Structures are given as C-alpha cells and as structure tokens.
C-alpha cells in the first residue's frame, strides 16, 4: 500500500511539473521577435515624461503582435550590471552592445526634445543588433501637452518604426512649423 501511495504521489508531482501540451505548442509557434526599447534621451523633458514616452513606445511595439518586448526593469539591471547606466549609453555602438547582452535581434533608441510645455519632437531609431545596421529612423513633432503626444504622435512613430502598412500621421494638435 505504501509503495502504491508513493508511486501515485510521484506520478502526480511529475504531471503537475510538466508543461501543459497546449502551452508547449503555443511557445513553439511564437514567432515574434524579441526587441528592447531603451529609455529615450531627454532634452528639456523630465524623467517622468521621458519614461512615459519610452513606455508608450514599448506598448505600441508590443501591440503590433510582431514583437516580444524586454521589460524595463530587466534592461535597467543589465545596464547597471555592465556599468552602462553611468556612461549614458546613448550611441548606437552602446545600444548594440546592450542588445547583444539582452539577446535581442532589434533595439530601439530615441530622443525626446521638449521645446516648451506644448512643443515636442520625438525621434526613434530601430537597429539590427546582429549587423549594427539602422533599419528605420523617424521622428514626429507635436504641439500640445504630453498626454496628447503619447496618444497620437508617439503611437504613430512606433507604427512607422515597424513599417506598419497604412500608417497615417495622427493629428493630436497643430503641426509645428519652422519659422
């Protein structure tokens, strides 16, 4: 009886520890690329605004269904561990190094410039980590508050980076024109 109970207990534990067959099939079929989005450089923008824009870019890329996005805390840990946080890690060579450490195929870098409370420019670049080639680069300008920037232009910029078909600029405020 003891032997039977032990055998049943071990069999139950083995079944509980084994991954569900549907979960295995789903993982095998997941063809999304792993991408990292570095926090944007900020010129005139606060840390909160910079992080909000960077997070929105991550969200946009994730929602395309084409990418798995590295979590910000995981990226921060890698930057801290490699002492890259202190150096700023703003150039393409550093971004490629971070991408290689994270094991991603693509990495997105960018810059947010805040000219005033209602005038913004956000630029972003998608880089192939294996070749260090710039795959896409684009920018958006916006006149309005940070919330309308997040909803319209940043979402448009993210869609442009992934080459989403039929991307049309979202007008969340009047365009900024050069004087």
């Amino acid at each position: 009886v003891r032997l039977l109970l032990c055998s049943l207990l071990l069999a139950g534990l083995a079944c509980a520890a084994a991954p569900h067959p549907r979960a295995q099939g789903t993982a095998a079929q997941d063809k999304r690329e792993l991408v990292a989005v570095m926090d944007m450089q900020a010129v005139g923008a606060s840390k909160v605004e910079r992080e909000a824009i960077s997070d929105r870019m991550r969200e946009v890329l994730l929602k395309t269904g084409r990418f798995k996005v590295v979590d910000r805390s995981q990226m921060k840990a890698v930057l801290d561990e490699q002492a890259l946080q202190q150096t700023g890690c703003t150039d393409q060579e550093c971004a490629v190094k971070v991408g290689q450490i994270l094991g991603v195929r693509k990495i997105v870098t960018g810059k947010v410039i805040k000219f005033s409370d209602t005038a913004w420019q956000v630029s972003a670049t998608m880089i192939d980590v294996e070749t260090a080639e710039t795959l896409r680069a684009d920018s958006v300008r916006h006149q309005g508050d940070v919330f309308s920037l997040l909803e319209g232009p940043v979402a448009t910029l993210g869609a442009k980076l992934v080459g989403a078909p039929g991307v049309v600029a979202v007008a969340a405020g009047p365009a900024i024109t050069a004087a």
Side-chain angles (χ1 to χ4, degrees):
V1 173
R2 272 182 155 170
L3 184 60
L4 179 62
L5 286 175
C6 286
S7 297
L8 288 173
L9 180 60
L10 287 174
L13 289 173
C15 287
H20 191 279
R22 274 190 280 166
Q24 285 178 322
T26 304
Q29 295 170 4
D30 191 355
K31 298 198 187 300
R32 297 178 297 165
E33 280 188 277
L34 186 60
V35 66
V37 178
M38 296 190 65
D39 278 339
M40 301 272 178
Q41 295 176 39
V43 177
S46 71
K47 179 181 177 190
V48 170
E49 291 164 334
R50 172 182 62 97
E51 288 180 356
I53 292 167
S54 301
D55 285 344
R56 179 68 169 130
M57 185 64 69
R58 288 180 187 95
E59 178 186 343
V60 169
L61 295 180
L62 187 62
K63 284 184 174 182
T64 67
R66 294 173 49 189
F67 300 100
K68 294 181 283 185
V69 179
V70 175
D71 182 71
R72 175 207 298 266
S73 60
Q74 184 182 0
M75 281 193 50
K76 183 179 179 333
V78 168
L79 289 172
D80 288 345
E81 182 180 312
Q82 300 296 319
L84 297 171
Q85 191 87 344
Q86 289 73 30
T87 64
C89 192
T90 58
D91 65 3
Q92 187 162 332
E93 184 179 325
C94 181
V96 167
K97 181 177 178 181
V98 169
Q100 290 169 341
I101 293 167
L102 290 169
V104 299
R105 174 76 195 267
K106 295 176 180 167
I107 192 160
V108 175
T109 63
K111 182 186 286 188
V112 56
I113 301 172
K114 181 179 179 181
F115 300 106
S116 70
D117 285 341
T118 59
W120 304 82
Q121 179 172 308
V122 181
S123 59
T125 304
M126 182 174 281
I127 302 163
D128 184 307
V129 172
E130 292 178 10
T131 64
E133 175 187 1
T134 298
L135 299 173
R136 292 183 191 271
D138 215 324
S139 63
V140 292
R141 293 186 184 139
H142 175 70
Q143 195 163 13
D145 66 13
V146 69
F147 298 106
S148 58
L149 173 68
L150 292 169
E151 289 307 311
V154 174
T156 300
L157 181 58
K160 285 179 176 182
L161 277 185
V162 299
V167 173
V168 177
V170 177
I176 298 172
T177 55

